[in-house]
Amino acid sequence: MNSIHPSPVAIVIPAYNEAATIADIAHRASWFTSLVIVVNDGSGDETARVLEKASIVVLHNRRNLGKGKSLMSGIRFALEHGAERIITLDGDGQHRPEDIQLLLDKSAASPGTIIIAARLHNRYCAPPLRRFANRFADFWISWAAGYSIRDSQSGFRLYPAKVFEQCQTVSNNFVFESEILIDAARKGIFSLSIPVDTIYRKNARVSHYRPALDTWAIVKMIGIKLIKRGLYPIGLLRSLGVWPFPPTKHSTM
Ligand SMILES: [Mg+2]
């Protein structure tokens, strides 16, 4: 591990078998901060080797622990090293590191807000099943969070540090990124979405996301939260825009 510079902005990239892309993504991310953290999630390929010479922090999980746990270990490291804003993005090349500037600009204009890089441009290049799963998840997550969220499944985000001080979200895999939006909303921390390109490269590796199983895990988590809240009918109405949203300064995109 190279020397670590404290920085108010940190970038966390989970990587599971991303040898083909991770070094380039991490390098491009390092243009924005000295604190780039890749969490190598028990990869069985050359991910560790291709990062050996990179001027970034690499945390290694001995075995595969899933995206959520990998993100949280990177985020904890970032917080311990002074990060006030944490940007997360995927390591497979579907999130363009250069778009980090858009997140930073939006965050400067709306401090204290989660900023989601929402894949709204060229969205028809995503597989139809994935598009359906994302819209389905948006509906449920918006309901449980009590406001409309666009591209709730995007892992490309900026979080203010206070999200992790106030939320105890522990769920794993792809559930984590859904649950943190709901938990943050309960604490009065909301999100804004900014549009970015949808990128699905030809010859990309097979997705780790399992549309049926992972969407079911997300819906199950939300169902439990909604039942505990008496189905939260006001949240549903607010998410559909037919009931006023109380926080005065908030608007979604
Ligand atoms: Mg991907």
Side-chain angles (χ1 to χ4, degrees):
M1 195 180 291
N2 296 288
S3 64
I4 299 154
H5 306 282
S7 168
V9 174
I11 298 171
V12 174
I13 311 173
Y16 180 49
N17 294 340
E18 303 290 13
T21 50
I22 192 64
D24 177 55
I25 298 296
H27 171 68
R28 287 154 64 197
S30 68
W31 296 339
F32 295 91
T33 177
S34 57
L35 190 50
V36 174
I37 303 153
V38 171
V39 185
N40 174 19
D41 191 18
S43 299
D45 69 354
E46 298 282 284
T47 295
R49 193 189 59 75
V50 301
L51 292 171
E52 271 167 11
K53 295 208 173 105
S55 302
I56 57 164
V57 176
V58 184
L59 305 179
H60 296 279
N61 297 338
R62 278 170 190 239
R63 60 184 178 84
N64 179 250
L65 297 180
K67 188 181 186 188
K69 285 211 170 109
S70 302
L71 279 171
M72 267 322 294
S73 64
I75 289 166
R76 267 195 295 274
F77 186 96
L79 295 172
E80 284 162 9
H81 289 81
E84 289 155 18
R85 291 183 291 172
I86 296 133
I87 292 165
T88 62
L89 74 156
D90 290 353
D92 63 350
Q94 288 185 302
H95 301 150
R96 200 179 281 135
E98 291 72 21
D99 289 339
I100 287 169
Q101 191 60 51
L102 300 174
L103 294 174
L104 291 170
D105 291 347
K106 192 71 180 175
S107 162
S110 306
T113 304
I114 299 168
I115 312 295
I116 299 174
R119 298 156 297 177
L120 299 177
H121 295 323
N122 320 321
R123 69 176 107 164
Y124 289 98
C125 74
L129 189 56
R130 195 65 217 272
R131 284 206 309 274
F132 173 78
N134 286 353
R135 292 187 72 126
F136 190 69
D138 278 357
F139 169 79
W140 287 88
I141 293 162
S142 298
W143 178 356
Y147 69 105
S148 170
I149 300 175
R150 306 202 64 185
D151 202 6
S152 61
Q153 298 305 289
S154 172
F156 193 7
R157 302 166 174 197
L158 182 152
Y159 298 99
K162 67 176 179 179
V163 171
F164 304 103
E165 288 154 13
Q166 295 185 29
C167 300
Q168 310 305 321
T169 306
V170 289
S171 53
N172 196 15
N173 293 323
F174 293 95
V175 179
F176 171 84
E177 286 158 317
S178 302
E179 189 169 19
I180 194 101
L181 292 175
I182 299 167
D183 291 352
R186 296 280 316 254
K187 304 284 182 187
I189 305 169
F190 300 98
S191 69
L192 291 168
S193 297
I194 52 165
V196 297
D197 283 345
T198 309
I199 300 172
Y200 276 81
R201 292 173 299 119
K202 285 190 181 130
N203 309 322
R205 58 135 176 86
V206 176
S207 172
H208 301 318
Y209 189 90
R210 300 155 301 172
L213 280 178
D214 288 318
T215 305
W216 167 242
I218 291 167
V219 169
K220 197 168 75 177
M221 174 274 293
I222 295 168
I224 292 168
K225 284 187 189 290
L226 285 175
I227 287 166
K228 282 187 182 162
R229 262 194 121 170
L231 292 187
Y232 195 25
I234 293 287
L236 175 62
L237 296 176
R238 283 189 185 133
S239 72
L240 296 173
V242 295
W243 196 271
F245 188 70
T248 47
K249 286 188 186 160
H250 178 80
S251 66
T252 48
M253 202 159 68

